[in-house]
Amino acid sequence: MRRVFGITGWKNSGKTTLTEKLVTELVARGWTVSTVKHAHHDFDIDKPGADSFRHRQAGATEVAIVSGRRWALMHELRGEDEPTLDDILARLAPADIVLVEGYKREAHKKIEARRLEAKDRTPLSANDPNIVAVAADFTVEGEGLPVFDLNDTKSIADFVERSTGLVAETK
């Protein structure tokens, strides 16, 4: 069973910072952590002029870059549908937990990040039963879910460990 936990929220709500802090905290606790980030259509991790970029520009569907320190695989969709989150999860190596940033509409457990400076502050939790907690940089009133301070990474990590079964719930 793959443990998956999501970080969701509107643009500029603190998703990436929270994801980064959770990775750091969970790794420090001894867990292996992988991440999946949903991005906008035109993102690119490659630089024009790089050999791998040139391979893709020439029409390659997949380009692997491999060194003694890391490897990366880029896949050009070339008109194919965007893969589902499940498709991507199936390609990942085993890990204790996968943190998923974005993917608002997927059916895994998620924490909703909220910041005063976010593009939109409409709560997502009201319409998403998969949101199991909220992390905010302001006081949240009338929320039926657990609410954490957005910067309280240790408490959020404790919650993630318990809610995904990484550690047993203590009574």
Side-chain angles (χ1 to χ4, degrees):
M1 177 198 96
R2 192 178 288 274
R3 288 180 180 89
V4 176
F5 193 87
I7 297 89
T8 193
W10 296 109
K11 183 177 176 65
N12 297 325
S13 63
K15 298 182 301 291
T16 300
T17 300
L18 179 55
T19 302
E20 177 186 6
K21 288 178 175 181
L22 281 174
V23 169
T24 300
E25 180 65 26
L26 292 168
V27 168
R29 295 177 184 200
W31 302 114
T32 57
V33 181
S34 293
T35 63
V36 175
K37 159 103 174 129
H38 193 260
H40 299 286
H41 297 296
D42 292 334
F43 88 95
D44 203 337
I45 60 170
D46 214 355
K47 300 217 176 358
D51 294 350
S52 54
F53 185 91
R54 292 171 60 191
H55 294 187
R56 288 188 304 124
Q57 290 297 105
T61 299
E62 287 193 327
V63 176
I65 308 167
V66 183
S67 77
R69 292 184 176 231
R70 69 185 59 89
W71 68 273
L73 177 65
M74 288 177 286
H75 181 99
E76 288 292 320
L77 291 175
R78 305 239 183 260
E80 300 169 47
D81 289 340
E82 179 179 328
T84 65
L85 177 58
D86 285 340
D87 292 337
I88 298 303
L89 292 172
R91 293 188 75 136
L92 294 179
D96 293 319
I97 187 168
V98 179
L99 295 179
V100 176
E101 182 183 337
Y103 286 98
K104 279 188 194 81
R105 292 166 187 85
E106 295 290 328
H108 55 276
K109 291 180 182 179
K110 300 181 267 280
I111 189 166
E112 179 183 349
R114 297 182 189 167
R115 286 182 63 222
L116 282 173
E117 293 80 33
K119 181 179 181 187
D120 188 335
R121 289 206 315 263
T122 307
L124 295 169
S125 60
N127 297 312
D128 186 347
N130 298 301
I131 293 176
V132 295
V134 173
D137 70 351
F138 58 91
T139 302
V140 175
E141 302 289 341
E143 179 61 67
L145 299 173
V147 177
F148 297 92
D149 182 299
L150 189 58
N151 296 309
D152 187 359
T153 308
K154 289 189 184 320
S155 294
I156 296 170
D158 291 344
F159 179 82
V160 170
E161 285 179 324
R162 287 190 313 272
S163 66
T164 60
L166 275 173
V167 297
E169 192 98 29
T170 55
K171 301 282 181 200

